[in-house]
Amino acid sequence: MTTMAPKPMRVLIALVVALLAVAHAQRYEWRDVQQLVTIEPSGDLIVEDTRTLWTDGDFGEAFICVHLAQGERIDLLPGSGAVSSGPQATAFTQPCAGGTEMVVRNMVRVSERRVRFVYRLSGAMDFYSDVARWYWNILEQDHPPVIGYSLRVEAPGPMAEPYDAYVHRYANPERPVVTLSEDRSVLTVEFEQVPPGASVEINYLMDPALFERRGTSPGLEAALREELEILERSEAMAGRAALRRSPWWALLPGGVVAFLALGVLTAYLKHGREPKVMAMRYPFEPPSDLPPAAVPALLTQSYQQSSMGNAFMATIMDLARRGYGEFTGKNGRFAMKLDLQRSTDGLHPFEAAVLRYLKNAAMTYHKGDPSELEFREMKSYSERYASTFMISWGSSVRKWVEAKRGGPLVDPESKRVANAWTTRCLVGMLVCVVAAFVLAGPGRVAGIAGAVASFVLLITASVALPRWRTEIAAEVAAWKGFKRTLSDFTRMKDAPDDFFRLWDVYYVYAATLGVAEKFLKNLARAAPLRGVDESSMAARAAWIGSSH
């Protein structure tokens, strides 16, 4: 059982995890994309699109989704399919969001395949009395990175001014190499790469005399005005894309991480190092009179709910040892006989709470004896109430320990410094997360790395910077030493006689420290070497039950 991080912290952690998932997701690339577009006098276009799909994993289908407006249509033509050698492949079309998807499906999954889509595009041109216009996103906007792109568009025939062709590079910082033949009938476009989210738009204004169809109203002047607006918008987007991809942005996350790392290291050297204390490495008795439940609550600088599970079980054992019950289960199955008449005046509040928990569990099945706690009762009651109980119970134990030891267990100044640097790391992680989402290219990579590094520094600051109060550090060291004794056979066999006489008391402490099984094994080996009578040891622990 663990405590929950504050909500803003959980949100940022979720964002970091999402960024890492994106960074480690399977990568796809279109490589060497070659498109040949032939514009027919009818106004239809024949497109031959050849490209290679590469991935660092594998794929079964290569596909592109072409968005269509009302009246536009795509028909897949013969020649579509796989171009490079490999498994058998089939080409077909199917609906996609807003258009038609052209697919080449491999019979066997591959990691790289060159494919060709040959198709007829109808209804994509606008006809006026003074211009025939083809305005089209020839490279789909929703695509993986494109490495190497070339386009050739062939008009039905030659033409002169004012007819022209225009290329737009939305969100692509690279300027294309554009060539228009002297007779304005052939347009070529080349990009070294086209990033995701960027497209290649062609606005070809052609002589209407080249086409079989002709409109009745003029449109050239309006098309030229619109082209100017499109150009300004496209170039503005390209400028923003270039700014987002600037490698200089990588300095921002780098500077944030450097500042945080230096600050956390300096704070650790000044405030975070634990005080030096003198403590026996292998004491043979508990260093203080803390009840078993309080020991795990003492040993963590920041309270951790997950550390209280053993404390709960050890408290049940200690209650039985002190006469509030007896274990009666057999073959490792839990069962207890509770003493309902015994006074609870000598119990700490958190010990009394555990006893009430056991009594309530024993009443789960009303036909049974409320003093007899069976396994099915404990299981049924715990399934409903254990989680809620442990949250409040564990917190109450920690508060009791702090009150007993005169306040928080860590040095107040070190805690203040830890909180300050944890907050700075949280802000730094937020800055890097925003950078990762806003930037592209090296800046995004640096943002992801910076967010992860800031998160690591945040955890480091919250764990390493707080330090024990000097007197608490001494007690913690002593309890850790006692745990070593309970786990070490070579030390246990040299223990004084009282160690064996009080073995059942120490057994409870071994349980709360998480070394109960090892303690019993070492005890079983050490006791005969010391001539300790096994029956007298068992008689001291009648609460465990004869079957144990």
Side-chain angles (χ1 to χ4, degrees), residues 301-329:
Q301 289 184 341
S302 296
Y303 169 65
Q304 298 175 8
Q305 185 66 49
S306 58
S307 67
M308 298 305 294
N310 287 338
F312 176 73
M313 297 301 178
T315 302
I316 296 176
M317 295 169 61
D318 195 47
L319 288 170
R321 184 189 67 81
R322 293 158 65 182
Y324 291 93
E326 177 184 348
F327 295 107
T328 57

Side-chain angles (χ1 to χ4, degrees), residues 177-450:
V177 177
V178 180
T179 304
L180 187 63
S181 63
E182 289 186 9
D183 63 2
R184 301 175 182 247
S185 65
V186 178
L187 170 70
T188 61
V189 181
E190 293 183 352
F191 283 95
E192 290 186 6
Q193 59 183 357
V194 184
S199 60
V200 179
E201 250 183 24
I202 304 300
N203 191 9
Y204 211 154
L205 305 181
M206 293 170 279
D207 189 341
L210 299 174
F211 295 89
E212 299 168 0
R213 288 184 56 191
R214 192 161 185 166
T216 57
S217 58
L220 179 58
E221 185 178 351
L224 290 173
R225 285 199 304 268
E226 184 181 356
E227 168 55 33
L228 182 59
E229 295 173 359
I230 295 171
L231 177 63
E232 292 177 352
R233 187 166 63 249
S234 173
E235 289 304 300
M237 290 182 63
R240 290 193 293 270
L243 181 63
R244 290 175 60 229
R245 297 186 69 86
S246 172
W248 291 103
W249 283 114
L251 296 177
L252 175 61
V256 168
V257 172
F259 168 75
L260 295 176
L262 181 61
V264 170
L265 176 60
T266 303
Y268 173 76
L269 295 176
K270 186 175 182 180
H271 299 281
R273 287 184 289 189
E274 295 296 342
K276 295 181 179 180
V277 295
M278 299 294 294
M280 291 182 62
R281 183 165 178 79
Y282 290 97
F284 288 112
E285 60 183 26
S288 64
D289 61 350
L290 283 181
V295 177
L298 174 78
L299 295 181
T300 55
Q301 289 184 341
S302 296
Y303 169 65
Q304 298 175 8
Q305 185 66 49
S306 58
S307 67
M308 298 305 294
N310 287 338
F312 176 73
M313 297 301 178
T315 302
I316 296 176
M317 295 169 61
D318 195 47
L319 288 170
R321 184 189 67 81
R322 293 158 65 182
Y324 291 93
E326 177 184 348
F327 295 107
T328 57
K330 296 181 179 180
N331 301 321
R333 194 175 184 84
F334 176 86
M336 281 189 76
K337 176 72 174 179
L338 301 175
D339 186 347
L340 302 179
Q341 306 303 318
R342 190 175 184 86
S343 172
T344 60
D345 290 345
L347 298 180
H348 295 295
F350 53 86
E351 294 173 328
V354 173
L355 184 59
R356 286 194 301 272
Y357 184 95
L358 297 177
K359 291 178 178 179
N360 291 337
M363 297 173 63
T364 300
Y365 296 103
H366 299 295
K367 293 182 180 179
D369 185 345
S371 67
E372 296 286 347
L373 177 56
E374 301 176 358
F375 171 77
R376 60 173 184 158
E377 292 176 316
M378 188 66 167
K379 179 181 178 181
S380 176
Y381 188 80
S382 295
E383 286 175 347
R384 289 178 288 170
Y385 302 111
S387 178
T388 303
F389 174 82
M390 287 297 294
I391 291 174
S392 60
W393 181 78
S395 178
S396 71
V397 178
R398 174 71 176 206
K399 290 177 181 178
W400 182 89
V401 171
E402 291 180 343
K404 191 76 171 178
R405 293 298 181 261
L409 306 181
V410 297
D411 175 69
E413 178 62 14
S414 70
K415 186 65 176 177
R416 185 193 65 78
V417 171
N419 290 339
W421 279 104
T422 298
T423 301
R424 293 185 184 112
C425 290
L426 192 62
V427 173
M429 186 168 69
L430 177 60
V431 170
C432 292
V433 166
V434 171
F437 277 104
V438 171
L439 301 178
R444 173 168 293 174
V445 174
I448 295 173

Side-chain angles (χ1 to χ4, degrees), residues 66-90:
V66 180
H67 296 278
L68 301 174
Q70 187 174 2
E72 297 173 345
R73 175 178 172 178
I74 275 185
D75 294 297
L76 201 61
L77 301 178
S80 300
V83 176
S84 60
S85 60
Q88 183 180 352
T90 56

Side-chain angles (χ1 to χ4, degrees), residues 102-119:
M102 294 179 289
V103 184
V104 174
R105 176 178 292 167
N106 299 301
M107 299 299 291
V108 178
R109 297 180 70 85
V110 295
S111 60
E112 185 173 348
R113 196 80 192 269
R114 191 156 182 79
V115 296
R116 179 177 291 126
F117 303 100
V118 183
Y119 57 94

